[in-house]
Amino acid sequence: MTASDAAAPSRELVLIGGGHSHVAVLKSFGMRPEPGVRVTLICRDSHTPYSGMLPGFVAGHYDFDEAHIDLRPLCIFAGARFVHDEAIGIDTAARRVICGDRPPVPYDVLSLNIGSTPSTADASGADVHSVPVKPINGFLAHWDRLVQRVLAHDDVRSLHICSVGSGAGGVEILLTVQYRLTALLAAAGRSAGHLRFHLFSDTPIILPTHNASTRAKFMRVLAERAVALHLGQAVVGVERDSVRLADGTGMPMDVVLWVTAAGAPGWLADTGLQRDGRGFIAVRDSLQSVSHDGVFAVGDIASVLEHPRPKSGVFAVRQGPPLADNLRRVLCGAKPMAFRPQQKFLSIITTGEKHAIASRGSWSAEGDWVWRWKDLIDRRFMAKYNDLPDMGSRATAAAGGMGVAPDAAAMRCGGCGAKVGGDVLRKALNRLAPVKRPEVMIGLEQPDDAAVIQPPPGKLLVHTADQFRAFIDDPYVFGAVAAQHALSDIYAMGAEPFTALAMAALPYADEARLEDDLYQMMAGAIRVLNSANAALVGGHTSEGAEMSLGFAVSGVVERERLFTKSGLQPGDCLLLTKPLGTGALFAAHMRAKAKGRWIDAALDHMLQSNGPAAICLRAHGARACTDVTGFGLIGHALEMAAVDGLTIELDLDAVPLLDGARDCVAAGIVSSLQPQNLRLARSVWSAEAAADNPAYALLFDPQTSGGLLAGVPAANARSCVDALRQLGYAAACAVASVVGSSGSAAIRLKV
């Protein structure tokens, strides 16, 4: 075995869910990486809410970032791949995680920390007409709509809001919602007198797992806040505007918060994992599944048979370190250790305002100081995962390269052209289903040395090529963006995509991982190519220190429909279909300095095809077109102006920017290509007036899979922008106008 073989990943640790235990695992593996282990986190959200701070966030005491752990930077710190998708199944026989919108992800060792949802099985209509408080991110989306509903409601008719469930979660969320809505109405100069709050429980007491002193304190608070208690009355049905009780009584109710006993997602039933009577994964005291040694489960989704405990975030937090240790042990072939959770734990429940009640065993305390104590505990916990140490080049490698150390890679044989083996290539390609075109006479199906294509009669062939290294750690998403980026040149020429040749480089790994990496990357690309009716007809694969992908693509177009960069006329408006900022954002991402939601939004734009935009632009009389990529907006606008020696007036305030792009530039983080692009500033008039504006720097920001920049007659500009936005290009707008001929290309800033 060579040094590069030893450094390449040989075991796959996959984490499903970004819960409290898994963030501890990621931090642990970041502090002490396990040689030969590749970690992948699958999570539907880039920001995971901390349950301890959810009430404070709803109450307005914390902003979004204070109450959420940003998983993308944490994954970069851990050297882990982040798969932004939802797990919907597990094939335990094949050891694969089934995802909602991408190919399955293979694992050697698997861990689940996906939380739970309140069970609605015993109440008809509750799954449709109630608002579940878990999963927390789902509740937060409902919460925004609830706020808007209350603010839009008239002050005449009563609005009834209830919580079903009188445990700590039900009591706390109802008091918090009451506090926040009252405060919002007061800020709007309105009374909250029309709001009515109710608490339902099938038990005769509130907080049944807490001591009598704590219950008494909350009974007092609920009475002071005029919350109507309906104890010992189970809700058995929920309608659009009412609830039905077990005795048949109906009560009007506008908003129903569902905070009852936790339930497990239904898809676990098809995994073959042994579960307890309530559907939760049965695990040993090692946190291992009792039926599958290679599967672990923690938090609400797990039931530790030897040590049953309530479903509480405090246990998930405590399970993190022993889970990380046992995952390492199993990955290294060692026996996992038993973990015994504590019997008693500190519980601090807030009342909405900065006031809280604490309990542990028979002890109880209340006051503003208790809230400050909780605030200190919570902030210290969050700082461990959001305030990460600077990792320098290690972060850059983790963010996208997915490779091995250069000195190790150098020992891998290069005399064969570093090609990927035939078996690996064949197996990966056999799993793909590229679109077929009748014009392809010899393509992927035949083992010939080159593809043979019959061009459509009467059409011009348009050829282009693009290739770049991985900038994101998910090969599926990277493959899709790379394909979309390559096709943009075809769309910018007004052509229809025709064929594609792939040029792929994969990080060193064993055959199974090489095959899966190639499959994942090409599956993302094929999804884009197929949707564009572009036939993949061949390509070349190789091994290297990092992942990269490119395409040589061709398109076809009638001569009279061909777009070029020339043809602008004085008076034309220049329209831009996508916002700027991918260069700065991914430079920050590679340093673990970009927020996850910024990267999510950027990827959404990068994955958006420019095909419909090109058709729309032509329909509105576009005369010239290009796509905005490596040279930035200024560079590509100058290319258009240079053909006829035109001057373009650019409205700096109109240029759309991706969320977070300004923040990155303001922090001094720009793409490595930015300094070269800035040399074009000599052709920009009035630049001095805008030099301190972060938006100015982003005019030179190199884009990956950027938007189209097209000149259309001024009379058509407004209707074209409206049509583009209806097609989903939400940021499309007019950014410049052609003001005349100057004999040489120039950009004049309007600031």
Side-chain angles (χ1 to χ4, degrees):
M1 178 180 289
T2 69
S4 58
D5 291 324
S10 59
R11 287 153 294 165
E12 300 279 357
L13 169 61
V14 175
L15 312 175
I16 301 178
H20 303 344
S21 299
H22 277 176
V23 296
V25 170
L26 290 167
K27 183 68 177 286
S28 173
F29 275 74
M31 298 297 291
R32 184 165 62 90
E34 198 66 44
V37 173
R38 182 163 64 183
V39 182
T40 300
L41 173 69
I42 302 173
C43 192
R44 65 177 174 229
D45 302 303
S46 292
H47 296 262
T48 188
Y50 174 45
S51 60
M53 283 178 147
L54 170 66
F57 175 65
V58 172
H61 305 320
Y62 303 115
D63 64 25
F64 183 91
D65 290 317
E66 289 175 316
H68 288 74
I69 296 171
D70 198 339
L71 294 175
R72 284 193 182 273
L74 182 58
C75 282
I76 293 174
F77 175 81
R81 300 200 297 185
F82 180 73
V83 171
H84 193 196
D85 203 345
E86 183 174 11
I88 60 172
I90 303 170
D91 183 346
T92 50
R95 295 201 169 206
R96 303 185 310 167
V97 179
I98 312 302
C99 299
D101 195 36
R102 56 172 300 124
V105 177
Y107 68 85
D108 294 302
V109 176
L110 179 68
S111 180
L112 292 91
N113 184 198
I114 56 176
S116 62
T117 57
S119 176
T120 58
D122 296 330
S124 62
D127 57 336
V128 177
H129 300 295
S130 70
V131 178
V133 174
K134 289 187 177 182
I136 297 172
N137 271 2
F139 169 73
L140 294 179
H142 285 289
W143 167 243
D144 290 337
R145 291 193 289 271
L146 172 58
V147 168
Q148 296 306 314
R149 179 178 178 182
V150 170
L151 293 178
H153 189 78
D154 62 66
D155 297 344
V156 178
R157 187 178 65 84
S158 293
L159 191 70
H160 294 269
I161 301 170
C162 77
S163 172
V164 178
S166 64
V171 171
E172 186 173 38
I173 197 64
L174 186 66
L175 290 172
T176 300
V177 167
Q178 183 192 47
Y179 166 80
R180 181 62 169 161
L181 293 179
T182 300
L184 289 171
L185 287 170
R190 297 167 57 190
S191 167
H194 62 293
L195 300 184
R196 301 287 185 266
F197 293 89
H198 305 258
L199 183 67
F200 289 90
S201 175
D202 58 357
T203 62
I205 59 173
I206 66 169
L207 304 171
T209 61
H210 290 71
N211 60 53
S213 176
T214 300
R215 286 197 295 272
K217 289 179 173 66
F218 270 103
M219 287 295 288
R220 188 200 77 242
V221 172
L222 291 166
E224 292 171 351
R225 303 271 284 270
V227 175
L229 300 182
H230 308 275
L231 304 181
Q233 300 189 56
V235 174
V236 297
V238 182
E239 304 296 334
R240 185 179 61 83
D241 55 2
S242 66
V243 297
R244 187 174 70 258
L245 306 180
D247 62 4
T249 305
M251 294 187 63
M253 205 60 57
D254 297 283
V255 178
V256 179
L257 306 176
W258 203 263
V259 207
T260 60
W267 60 262
L268 287 177
D270 300 323
T271 62
L273 296 170
Q274 186 171 325
R275 299 177 299 147
D276 70 2
R278 294 190 294 163
F280 298 107
I281 300 171
V283 299
R284 309 184 189 106
D285 55 7
S286 62
L287 308 177
Q288 258 176 319
S289 164
V290 299
S291 59
H292 294 73
D293 287 345
V295 177
F296 289 74
V298 287
D300 284 3
I301 200 61
S303 178
V304 185
L305 299 185
E306 293 94 336
H307 308 294
R309 294 290 187 273
K311 301 296 183 186
S312 171
V314 68
F315 293 111
V317 170
R318 296 289 182 88
Q319 287 174 333
L323 173 65
D325 186 52
N326 279 345
L327 289 172
R328 291 182 191 274
R329 288 176 172 274
V330 170
L331 286 162
C332 295
K335 182 180 179 181
M337 301 290 288
F339 167 67
R340 183 182 182 90
Q342 72 274 31
Q343 289 281 0
K344 298 178 181 179
F345 61 94
L346 175 66
S347 175
I348 303 180
I349 308 171
T350 63
T351 60
E353 68 271 47
K354 294 183 178 181
H355 187 88
I357 298 170
S359 70
R360 188 176 191 275
S362 60
W363 174 81
S364 180
E366 179 181 2
D368 294 352
W369 69 270
V370 178
W371 189 92
R372 292 193 295 272
W373 182 25
K374 173 178 168 57
D375 176 63
L376 179 63
I377 293 171
D378 290 341
R379 288 185 183 276
R380 283 178 174 173
F381 174 80
M382 295 294 284
K384 291 192 297 183
Y385 304 108
N386 281 339
D387 299 338
L388 299 170
D390 191 0
M391 298 167 292
S393 60
R394 176 180 153 203
T396 301
M402 295 179 285
V404 300
D407 56 341
M411 299 186 68
R412 196 71 168 240
C413 169
C416 57
K419 291 182 179 179
V420 171
D423 284 347
V424 170
L425 185 60
R426 183 173 56 257
K427 289 177 182 178
L429 292 179
N430 285 343
R431 297 166 66 184
L432 301 172
V435 69
K436 294 179 173 58
R437 294 192 64 131
E439 300 92 344
V440 178
M441 301 171 64
I442 297 177
L444 279 180
E445 293 82 4
Q446 295 87 8
D448 280 283
D449 295 321
V452 178
I453 295 100
Q454 173 67 54
K459 292 191 177 183
L460 303 177
L461 281 177
V462 180
H463 292 279
T464 186
D466 269 298
Q467 184 169 15
F468 45 83
R469 60 189 288 265
F471 57 89
I472 195 76
D473 54 19
D474 183 343
Y476 179 79
V477 172
F478 171 58
V481 172
Q484 209 65 270
H485 179 87
L487 291 176
S488 284
D489 281 339
I490 300 297
Y491 294 130
M493 299 293 290
E496 168 199 346
F498 188 44
T499 63
L501 291 164
M503 300 165 287
L506 300 168
Y508 302 115
D510 60 32
E511 286 193 5
R513 282 153 188 81
L514 277 175
E515 178 193 337
D516 191 69
D517 281 351
L518 179 58
Y519 169 65
Q520 295 278 346
M521 184 167 64
M522 291 308 301
I526 285 293
R527 180 173 179 173
V528 170
L529 295 174
N530 284 1
S531 67
N533 199 31
L536 181 67
V537 295
H540 177 80
T541 55
S542 62
E543 288 185 280
E546 59 185 8
M547 182 174 285
S548 68
L549 180 63
F551 293 92
V553 292
S554 68
V556 293
V557 63
E558 293 90 349
R559 184 181 297 274
E560 62 275 11
R561 297 180 64 83
L562 183 69
F563 275 149
T564 65
K565 294 175 183 177
S566 64
L568 290 177
Q569 296 181 16
D572 283 354
C573 284
L574 283 178
L575 307 187
L576 181 63
T577 63
K578 294 185 184 181
L580 306 179
T582 62
L585 281 168
F586 282 93
H589 174 64
M590 289 183 175
R591 302 184 199 181
K593 300 296 184 184
K595 298 185 187 302
R597 61 183 179 275
W598 297 348
I599 300 303
D600 292 346
L603 287 171
D604 285 344
H605 285 285
M606 295 161 78
L607 289 167
Q608 188 175 25
S609 170
N610 280 323
I615 295 172
C616 179
L617 289 165
R618 176 169 298 286
H620 287 82
R623 308 186 215 268
C625 186
T626 187
D627 61 332
V628 180
T629 52
F631 299 151
L633 178 62
I634 289 292
H636 292 288
L638 281 170
E639 287 180 332
M640 298 180 78
V643 180
D644 300 307
L646 297 171
T647 296
I648 292 174
E649 185 175 74
L650 181 67
D651 185 350
L652 183 59
D653 292 334
V655 175
L657 303 177
L658 288 164
D659 289 345
R662 286 176 180 268
D663 302 75
C664 295
V665 172
I669 302 175
V670 296
S671 166
S672 56
L673 189 58
Q674 179 90 358
Q676 296 182 49
N677 286 351
L678 274 171
R679 295 171 188 168
L680 298 171
R682 61 181 178 270
S683 298
V684 179
W685 302 346
S686 307
E688 299 80 6
D692 294 332
N693 187 336
Y696 173 72
L698 289 164
L699 298 179
F700 302 88
D701 187 59
Q703 304 302 291
T704 300
S705 193
L708 298 180
L709 180 67
V712 300
N716 299 345
R718 181 68 264 170
S719 62
C720 187
V721 168
D722 291 342
L724 286 167
R725 291 181 177 178
Q726 290 176 6
L727 287 170
Y729 302 92
C733 62
V735 296
S737 58
V738 181
V739 295
S741 175
S742 60
S744 61
I747 303 292
R748 185 170 71 201
L749 288 186
K750 178 182 177 182
V751 294

